[in-house]
Amino acid sequence: SEGEAGGKETEKNAKEYSFKLAHIAPENHIWNDAAKNLAKELKERSDGRMTVEIYPGGQLGSDADMVQQLETGALDFAFITNAHLTSMSDAFSAWFSPFLFDSYEDVLEASKSDVAKDVLATVDDTGIKAMNYFFSGNRVMLFREKIETPKEMEGLSMRATPSPALQDWYRSLGANPESISLPEVYQAAQTGVIDGMDMDLDAAVTSNFNEVTGYGALTNHMVWPSIMVTNKEQFENMPKEDQKIIEEAMAATSEYATLKRSSQEEEFINTLEDRGMELYKIDESLFTPYTEKFDEKYKSKDPLIKEFIETFR
Amino acid sequence: MTMIIVVLLFIVFLLVGIPISLVLAITSLSYLLLSGLLTAMGSAPQSMFSGIDSFGLLAIPLFMLAGELMNGGGITKKLVNFARVLIGHFRGGLAYVAVIANMFLASILGSANAQAAMMSKVMVPEMEEEGYRRDFSSSLTLASSIVAPVIPPSMLFIIYGTLTGASIGDLFMAGIIPGILLGIGFIIVIGIMGAKQGFPKSQRASLKEILTTSIKVLPAMLIPFTIIYGILGGIFTPTESAGVACIVAFIVGAFIYRELKMKKLPSIFIDTVINTATITFLIVTANLFGFVLSFERIPQLIADSMLGISDNPFVFLLLVNIFLLLLGTVLDGIAALIILVPVMMPLLGIYQIDPVHFGVIICINLTLGLLTPPVGTGLFIVSSIAEVKFENLVKAIMPFLTMAIIVLIILTYWEDAVLWIPSLISD
Amino acid sequence: MKTLDTWIESVEKVISIILIATLALVIATSVFYRYFLNAPIYWATEASIFMMAWLTFVGGSLGLKYKSQASITFLVERLSMNGKRILDMFSHIVILVFLIILLYLSYDWIFSLSSQKSSAMRIPMWVPYLSVPVGLTFSFIHLLNYTIDLVKNNKQEGNAS
Ligand code: NA
Ligand code: NA
């Protein structure tokens, strides 16, 4: 971080920075590509003044840990899941409105909008600053038995990330959301503790979920934002041009990671099908009544969520 | 320089007898202080909390409680008696009973220390009565208790799975063959020693006795049955099984055997909490320790230097085994596991070692630390409960320890023995 | 000091009894609700973890009081009674100093928390987090009491091991 690294002043009065960047995804995950890209962008745009040390794989702890380290300044940047940020500010739930975006390209555009920036600003009164988004892992539904309509989901136990919006979505479908911890998900699906899971294709490939859930509905019902977060005080004390470098580097990374993930979609589908998983679509219109119910509930939660949904619906 | 000072502090604080959990916290803070990483110090409490913020670890208090309830409810005794009427009449019969009963019990309990304490209370006096030497019976009981964390359920596997993300279900399945191999190994040792020394045998049990004992043991068998059926039948996860085991143990002890008295409950609960916390508090401070290590990139440094030695996975595993056995002399089981796993994880990918295979090997290895002097928790527990001199116990345990190391080496190279059952299940 | 120490010990015991019993019940009940009633208890996982956090820090403190936490004693045991006492005093002073630092950090952490809520129950995160400073405070009082006794030299030797 800036203070400890000495913040060396060169003759041009341009500071040098050695940043620490952490995230929870493994080294071969798209998030780590994003991290490396951000490091590269920062270095190039600052003519080598900004270097980044990357801590992948949750080496520095969970989302909660990293947020706390960002607050104290032990850490300079982290990629935090949108799911975690919903526990700090309700407004982030807006991104989990079902069926709001058609493609990675769409959601990337949406992230540049004013209302998306307003959502980021809702954590401004804490010690962290949410800077920008990138998107990886649109949600799909994996099942042990073939489920072809939302109606059939009634009473199913579905593992979903423990964030209220995700769990509410399954509740509104009449399913029972379960928050079994990730290391236990495989076996829970294998033995039937759960009937299915809310997942993304990347994770399905890496964790071999095709072995325990033979059917996958390519619903793409929700997007999966990752938020690039920094220490607020440190950022605001930087010279304007350095702030600009960071903002531009992040914008570039947002674009890079989201589009790269978009291009991998087909490969993941092929891999899963090769392994014998049956992947299929469910007519989106069947979900409309449930989506409306969700919108109704979440619009009344927060004016920003209302504005968000009305902008993109 | 800072690093050297901190390593010295670590050793000194350990040697003067400060609890290991506190040593981990103190060294972590000292390091951050001496390196001027004051901002990172602010993360210490959060990092400690995160150590315990994990669903899988819930199995620790729950299995502890199940064990205490089983002891208080006379369930342990019934299991031992059952094994005894079946095989007690062979030469060295009670010695085999000790091994078999330990394997039974291991299918319920997840901790070697708990099991060693329970079994030495029950087995050692019985064996003495039949004319076994006390140092032999206590060393045998202690040695066979190490199957507890190998045969599922297992606290060590749960902790390993939680630390690494490896499937806890697979780890459980992977422990079955190694657990049985250890049992067979100990039986061979008894056979050899028995032939040399002429072990006693008990009278053959009458058919009536066999029948009544078998009926009496049925409710006790409910517990392993519930756990296995519940997990395989998709009723609950391995972690949840521990909670269900508590309820079943309570019902069997209180209402069927009627040995579990209500007034015993508060002390059972308090003992459970204290025993739990000796582990979980260690996990908490080890998480802080791990945070500092990661922050300073120590695991990567170690990984790099290991790679400098050899890129052969077998050589690597052999080195790891030797290192862990040495480490196990001063630090055992869970403490060592929690400190080491984060350091070693990056290496598994590089050497292409299956995390489940690795988990089973290092868990067995670190459990052996319970049997090795100078610091062997199992040795301490059993020497105090069975009232055997520490030195005598150490001497008597050697044949068993040797056998356990042989089994460990076999498992290190014979990956299939570990991974076969998990592979059956996933097909 | 002594009264405070014993009083805290009783509080810790009561907390322990309630938490461990509730923990087992909650987990078993949640299995029952999911499997038999098909109505999972959505807060069971989170509540259990929070209870375990409190168990850990409160039970850890009890464990320090009863000296039941794992430590390496084979060297210490070779010392004379007097040597043991001096070493014990040294290690307790080291522990107390670091506990003060840790307590300062923990209270600083608790009071500077941003308004974060738990993901299932939506309760403020200070509820589970508070287990850290509370458990450490209890530990501090137990160990301080022990150290005072050591200094006053009226502690039975037997208790020191
Ligand atoms: Na076991
Ligand atoms: Na040892």
Side-chain angles (χ1 to χ4, degrees):
Chain A
S1 54
E2 183 210 348
E4 288 146 23
K8 267 190 240 156
E9 312 251 332
T10 67
E11 61 255 88
K12 279 189 205 153
N13 209 19
K15 267 182 165 177
E16 292 193 1
Y17 302 88
S18 61
F19 295 123
K20 287 183 187 328
L21 158 64
H23 64 82
I24 52 173
E27 272 178 63
N28 52 5
H29 190 265
I30 177 83
W31 280 30
N32 207 39
D33 294 338
K36 285 190 214 151
N37 185 269
L38 181 57
K40 188 189 97 197
E41 293 283 348
L42 284 173
K43 193 167 178 192
E44 283 174 5
R45 288 166 196 268
S46 65
D47 296 321
R49 287 187 299 119
M50 295 180 181
T51 52
V52 180
E53 228 180 327
I54 302 170
Y55 293 81
Q59 284 176 24
L60 299 188
S62 62
D63 277 337
D65 293 347
M66 292 187 296
V67 166
Q68 201 269 342
Q69 289 155 23
L70 287 165
E71 283 172 355
T72 60
L75 192 58
D76 306 288
F77 301 116
F79 299 159
I80 305 291
T81 62
N82 192 57
H84 180 78
L85 286 176
T86 60
S87 74
M88 299 180 70
S89 153
D90 273 336
F92 284 89
S93 300
W95 287 103
F96 290 142
S97 309
F99 300 106
L100 218 44
F101 307 101
D102 288 330
S103 65
Y104 279 102
E105 288 72 13
D106 266 9
V107 69
L108 184 62
E109 271 318 294
S111 73
K112 297 172 186 161
S113 67
D114 284 343
V115 62
K117 284 179 184 145
D118 290 345
V119 170
L120 291 177
T122 55
V123 287
D124 270 359
D125 55 348
T126 67
I128 59 167
K129 187 166 176 59
M131 305 278 292
N132 207 330
Y133 306 86
F134 66 93
F135 300 86
S136 62
N138 282 351
R139 310 316 284 172
V140 296
M141 299 177 188
L142 311 183
F143 299 108
R144 299 179 80 222
E145 311 276 337
K146 191 166 184 181
I147 300 291
E148 289 173 287
T149 63
K151 252 207 158 66
E152 291 172 63
M153 294 184 61
E154 198 166 320
L156 293 191
S157 289
M158 292 291 288
R159 193 272 169 186
T161 307
S163 167
L166 271 93
Q167 305 240 333
D168 276 343
W169 165 242
Y170 282 97
R171 248 175 239 128
S172 69
L173 286 167
N176 295 316
E178 270 290 336
S179 41
I180 285 172
S181 64
L182 223 43
E184 284 195 319
V185 168
Y186 181 95
Q187 202 196 17
Q190 183 177 42
T191 58
V193 170
I194 50 174
D195 301 302
M197 58 184 92
D198 183 280
M199 213 22 87
D200 68 283
L201 294 174
D202 188 356
V205 170
T206 346
S207 304
N208 291 312
F209 286 135
N210 51 288
E211 294 169 6
V212 290
T213 46
Y215 303 91
L218 300 173
T219 47
N220 288 323
H221 54 282
M222 280 177 197
V223 296
W224 198 247
S226 322
I227 323 293
M228 301 184 237
V229 180
T230 185
N231 171 298
K232 186 162 177 252
E233 197 187 325
Q234 174 182 302
F235 182 79
E236 284 172 355
N237 287 335
M238 278 181 194
K240 279 276 170 301
E241 48 292 12
D242 289 350
Q243 290 185 359
K244 202 167 154 241
I245 290 175
I246 292 176
E247 281 167 347
E248 287 171 356
M250 284 184 166
T253 299
S254 171
E255 191 116 4
Y256 163 83
T258 309
L259 296 179
K260 176 163 187 192
R261 180 61 181 76
S262 172
S263 71
Q264 292 171 333
E265 203 74 356
E266 210 173 284
E267 178 196 327
F268 292 140
I269 291 177
N270 290 337
T271 310
L272 289 172
E273 280 179 336
D274 286 349
R275 292 183 189 170
M277 194 175 197
E278 183 179 342
L279 297 175
Y280 54 92
K281 294 226 156 50
I282 296 181
D283 182 4
E284 197 179 305
S285 66
L286 293 175
F287 285 103
T288 310
Y290 307 97
T291 306
E292 279 170 359
K293 212 159 78 186
F294 183 96
D295 281 1
E296 212 55 48
K297 180 169 178 190
Y298 272 78
K299 273 185 190 169
S300 63
K301 272 205 168 161
D302 188 309
L304 207 50
I305 300 182
K306 184 166 188 274
E307 187 190 337
F308 190 93
I309 292 179
E310 281 166 359
T311 311
F312 300 111
R313 182 65 74 202
Chain B
M1 192 58 209
T2 318
M3 193 68 91
I4 297 167
I5 295 173
V6 174
V7 170
L8 286 177
L9 282 179
F10 182 80
I11 295 169
V12 169
F13 290 154
L14 271 183
L15 291 182
V16 300
I18 296 179
I20 299 171
S21 55
L22 292 178
V23 174
L24 291 172
I26 292 173
T27 356
S28 308
L29 292 179
S30 319
Y31 181 83
L32 295 175
L33 265 177
L34 291 173
S35 329
L37 295 169
L38 298 183
T39 45
M41 269 183 94
S43 299
Q46 169 83 41
S47 168
M48 285 172 63
F49 179 88
S50 281
I52 200 64
D53 185 9
S54 158
F55 185 68
L57 296 179
L58 278 170
I60 296 174
L62 296 172
F63 277 129
M64 288 273 181
L65 180 59
E68 295 276 347
L69 289 170
M70 284 173 53
N71 245 9
I75 297 172
T76 320
K77 260 210 167 112
K78 303 283 189 299
L79 289 169
V80 173
N81 263 338
F82 178 60
R84 183 201 174 127
V85 297
L86 287 185
I87 51 173
H89 54 282
F90 295 109
R91 178 158 306 284
L94 260 193
Y96 297 121
V97 169
V99 177
I100 305 281
N102 258 305
M103 289 169 73
F104 265 144
L105 211 56
S107 66
I108 308 173
L109 293 181
S111 139
N113 276 338
Q115 195 163 311
M118 287 164 65
M119 287 299 286
S120 49
K121 262 181 229 163
V122 182
M123 282 312 298
V124 176
E126 291 220 19
M127 289 179 74
E128 186 160 54
E129 224 168 86
E130 281 206 2
Y132 289 88
R133 295 228 326 266
R134 186 169 270 252
D135 50 358
F136 169 75
S137 54
S138 48
S139 68
L140 166 65
T141 314
L142 170 58
S144 17
S145 74
I146 66 164
V147 296
V150 183
I151 292 177
S154 158
M155 212 124 82
L156 281 178
F157 289 164
I158 287 176
I159 294 173
Y160 177 84
T162 312
L163 292 172
T164 60
S167 155
I168 293 168
D170 278 357
L171 284 162
F172 274 19
M173 294 302 125
I176 295 175
I177 293 181
I180 294 173
L181 283 181
L182 280 171
I184 295 175
F186 295 146
I187 286 173
I188 294 174
V189 174
I190 297 169
I192 297 172
M193 290 176 81
K196 272 195 205 155
Q197 304 177 12
F199 281 155
K201 50 182 172 184
S202 8
Q203 261 185 334
R204 186 183 281 274
S206 67
L207 194 63
K208 195 178 153 218
E209 206 181 335
I210 294 181
L211 266 177
T212 47
T213 320
S214 309
I215 291 171
K216 269 198 197 142
V217 83
L218 281 181
M221 296 304 280
L222 252 181
I223 301 169
F225 179 77
T226 313
I227 293 178
I228 292 164
Y229 178 78
I231 293 178
L232 295 181
I235 303 177
F236 39 68
T237 65
T239 308
E240 290 169 337
S241 78
V244 178
C246 290
I247 305 294
V248 181
F250 174 77
I251 293 172
V252 171
F255 302 116
I256 302 181
Y257 293 150
R258 299 185 183 211
E259 285 182 39
L260 185 63
K261 299 285 178 269
M262 290 307 132
K263 64 171 190 289
K264 272 199 222 162
L265 282 181
S267 69
I268 285 182
F269 287 150
I270 291 170
D271 285 351
T272 304
V273 170
I274 293 176
N275 292 337
T276 299
T278 56
I279 298 172
T280 53
F281 192 68
L282 189 61
I283 293 181
V284 153
T285 54
N287 205 52
L288 169 59
F289 190 71
F291 165 70
V292 175
L293 289 181
S294 307
F295 201 77
E296 293 300 290
R297 299 203 166 269
I298 311 285
Q300 280 74 11
L301 279 176
I302 294 177
D304 290 345
S305 52
M306 278 302 283
L307 273 175
I309 299 173
S310 166
D311 54 5
N312 181 326
F314 296 117
V315 176
F316 163 71
L317 280 178
L318 191 68
L319 288 176
V320 168
N321 269 320
I322 293 170
F323 172 68
L324 292 185
L325 282 171
L326 288 176
L327 186 79
T329 59
V330 289
L331 201 71
D332 43 37
I334 293 174
L337 183 72
I338 297 165
I339 299 170
L340 281 176
V341 163
V343 181
M344 300 205 156
M345 270 326 274
L347 286 162
L348 295 194
I350 300 173
Y351 284 103
Q352 305 214 316
I353 292 168
D354 187 283
V356 170
H357 181 216
F358 188 72
V360 171
I361 289 172
I362 66 168
C363 287
I364 295 178
N365 191 316
L366 291 172
T367 310
L368 293 184
L370 300 174
L371 315 182
T372 53
V375 182
T377 327
L379 292 169
F380 297 143
I381 292 175
V382 172
S383 77
S384 80
I385 292 179
E387 293 170 20
V388 185
K389 266 197 147 168
F390 187 76
E391 298 86 85
N392 294 350
L393 186 57
V394 167
K395 231 198 241 157
I397 200 96
M398 284 308 156
F400 297 107
L401 184 61
T402 312
M403 178 51 85
I405 292 176
I406 293 173
V407 173
L408 176 67
I409 293 170
I410 293 175
L411 292 170
T412 304
Y413 296 106
W414 190 22
E415 194 192 46
D416 286 349
V418 177
L419 297 179
W420 183 57
I421 296 191
S423 76
L424 283 187
I425 305 265
S426 54
D427 283 347
Chain C
M1 194 69 218
K2 187 139 245 149
T3 7
L4 180 63
D5 184 66
T6 357
W7 183 77
I8 287 177
E9 185 186 349
S10 339
V11 172
E12 287 171 334
K13 285 183 173 170
V14 173
I15 296 179
S16 302
I17 293 174
I18 297 175
L19 284 180
I20 188 76
T22 318
L23 182 59
L25 278 177
V26 166
I27 296 283
T29 315
S30 77
V31 168
F32 183 83
Y33 267 70
R34 182 185 57 228
Y35 191 76
F36 294 101
L37 308 182
N38 200 17
I41 307 177
Y42 70 96
W43 47 262
T45 307
E46 191 177 278
S48 311
I49 293 174
F50 291 178
M51 282 190 268
M52 179 168 56
W54 277 94
L55 273 184
T56 296
F57 287 96
V58 169
S61 165
L62 268 181
L64 286 173
K65 177 168 174 67
Y66 298 147
K67 308 247 170 273
S68 65
Q69 298 230 3
S71 59
I72 291 180
T73 51
F74 66 97
L75 271 189
V76 181
E77 268 155 18
R78 293 178 184 208
L79 295 176
S80 66
M81 277 305 175
N82 216 24
K84 258 189 214 170
R85 209 173 71 89
I86 291 170
L87 208 55
D88 212 16
M89 226 179 298
F90 164 75
S91 52
H92 276 80
I93 289 167
V94 170
I95 296 173
L96 288 175
V97 168
F98 277 93
L99 271 182
I100 290 174
I101 300 177
L102 210 45
L103 276 171
Y104 166 79
L105 295 171
S106 310
Y107 282 105
D108 189 46
W109 170 59
I110 281 287
F111 287 118
S112 65
L113 281 181
S114 42
S115 63
Q116 195 200 332
K117 279 185 249 139
S118 73
S119 57
M121 297 184 286
R122 307 301 277 166
I123 57 171
M125 282 306 287
W126 62 257
V127 175
Y129 285 169
L130 197 61
S131 59
V132 182
V134 168
L136 292 176
T137 307
F138 287 176
S139 312
F140 183 78
I141 290 167
H142 290 322
L143 294 173
L144 182 62
N145 180 53
Y146 179 84
T147 315
I148 291 173
D149 277 354
L150 261 184
V151 174
K152 281 204 215 140
N153 197 16
N154 58 2
K155 189 92 188 164
Q156 288 293 309
E157 297 290 357
N159 291 359
S161 60

